[in-house]
Amino acid sequence: MLNTQTRYAIDPATAKTLDTDQLRDHFHVDGLFADGEIKLIYSHYDRLILGSAVPGAGTLTLDKVAETGTATFLKRREMAVLNVGGTGTVTVGGESYTLEKGEVVYIGMGAGPVAFAGAGRFYILSAPAHRTCPTRLIKLSDARRVEMGSAEAANERVILQFLHPEVAESCQLLMGYTQFAEGSVWNTMPAHTHDRRMEAYLYFDMPSDRRVFHIMGEPTQTRHIVMANEEAVISPPWSVHAGAGTGSYTFCWAMAGDNVDFTDMDMVPMEALR
């Protein structure tokens, strides 16, 4: 079963007038993981698609999606799949890849239908592509590991980079995830924007009663969205994207836009935030 929803882009002047429900309608994604379904959110920010596949006892196949206007979903797109559940398989181009929790498979443009099976809870990311890069499984041991922060600042964390120029080639999609040490809760602060790329976050590995206060908006017009486990949020290029949780958590970040330079950020001084 395929369920697709479109989210249209809005400008920062409009965003600052929205109330809580309106902000969530535009940027927040809940109910993402559903047994026996493929769910896709088509964002007009850089045409990024985020979604999920939860095959359960059967097999789910992602092939044609009307919103892309192409014969197959990957005709002019690349894709990354992160497994946040049990062991599962992703089959594409006649080859099956077994993904343990926390592993990623990158799928290049033109690869054809993609099938999902097993106990995996698959988080899907896709961006338009102009060339084909090799499809490959990226294991935890392959990821680029960057340790940052400190317990004193409540931001001790490790950044695991999967789609990154030093790890796996992609056309324009960057992705990885950040894990926090126990007692650390702050991410991406001091905040930044990158007007050349949009971003999307998936918060996961959280108990049911834990929440993350995701901070978005222009630096002088910040807003927040309260996030629960396995919920996603879309971050426009003009928006900061930071947060703090009621306990430690993990979040998957993904970017699409003009470049694949992870460090291309416009830093926002703490004193400028409002």
Side-chain angles (χ1 to χ4, degrees):
M1 180 178 175
L2 175 64
N3 184 325
T4 307
Q5 182 186 123
T6 298
R7 300 287 183 96
Y8 294 98
I10 61 173
D11 64 276
T14 300
K16 70 182 181 182
T17 69
L18 303 181
D19 65 18
T20 297
D21 289 338
Q22 292 168 325
L23 276 175
R24 293 175 74 86
D25 287 344
H26 280 284
F27 303 110
H28 175 254
V29 181
D30 63 358
L32 189 57
F33 294 85
D35 287 346
E37 289 189 38
I38 295 175
K39 290 193 171 186
L40 301 177
I41 307 297
Y42 187 111
S43 169
H44 278 233
Y45 293 110
D46 289 292
R47 303 286 169 171
L48 183 84
I49 292 175
L50 61 94
S52 64
V54 186
T59 298
L60 295 172
T61 301
L62 178 58
D63 189 1
K64 185 173 182 178
V65 175
E67 284 74 6
T68 66
T70 53
T72 62
F73 182 68
L74 293 177
K75 179 71 175 177
R76 295 178 56 84
R77 285 182 164 270
E78 60 184 347
M79 179 171 160
V81 179
L82 165 66
N83 185 11
V84 299
T87 303
T89 61
V90 175
T91 302
V92 59
E95 186 165 354
S96 291
Y97 301 88
T98 299
L99 276 71
E100 304 295 339
K101 182 176 181 180
E103 295 183 339
V104 173
V105 63
Y106 170 80
I107 304 171
M109 182 183 73
V114 182
F116 304 90
R121 296 171 72 80
F122 299 105
Y123 179 53
I124 296 169
L125 295 155
S126 175
H130 59 267
R131 62 188 176 93
T132 299
C133 300
T135 296
R136 60 167 290 193
L137 174 65
I138 312 167
K139 302 182 79 63
L140 275 170
S141 57
D142 299 323
R144 185 171 185 262
R145 184 182 177 93
V146 181
E147 296 183 3
M148 297 186 69
S150 66
E152 292 76 14
N155 66 357
E156 184 180 359
R157 62 202 189 276
V158 59
I159 301 173
L160 296 167
Q161 298 169 336
F162 287 82
L163 294 192
H164 183 280
E166 295 183 31
V167 180
E169 184 182 14
S170 64
C171 185
Q172 71 153 324
L173 192 59
L174 280 174
M175 69 85 65
Y177 54 87
T178 301
Q179 295 175 315
F180 283 84
E182 287 296 323
S184 286
V185 297
W186 274 103
N187 78 72
T188 325
M189 188 64 75
H192 65 264
T193 61
H194 28 68
D195 203 47
R196 294 150 297 280
R197 296 186 306 230
M198 63 82 65
E199 192 159 2
Y201 279 17
L202 172 74
Y203 292 96
F204 64 103
D205 277 354
M206 295 162 51
S208 60
D209 61 348
R210 188 162 297 175
R211 296 294 183 269
V212 174
F213 286 71
H214 176 87
I215 300 168
M216 65 160 295
E218 294 177 284
T220 57
Q221 288 284 341
T222 59
R223 303 291 188 269
H224 73 267
I225 297 177
V226 179
M227 309 293 300
N229 187 49
E230 293 187 347
E231 294 183 349
V233 65
I234 298 166
S235 178
W238 46 261
S239 176
V240 297
H241 34 278
T246 58
S248 59
Y249 52 96
T250 302
F251 68 91
C252 174
W253 44 266
M255 293 176 270
D258 274 335
N259 63 50
V260 290
D261 179 3
F262 182 81
T263 61
D264 179 15
M265 305 172 185
D266 300 316
M267 302 305 297
V268 179
M270 292 295 286
E271 61 269 20
L273 289 173
R274 296 290 184 272

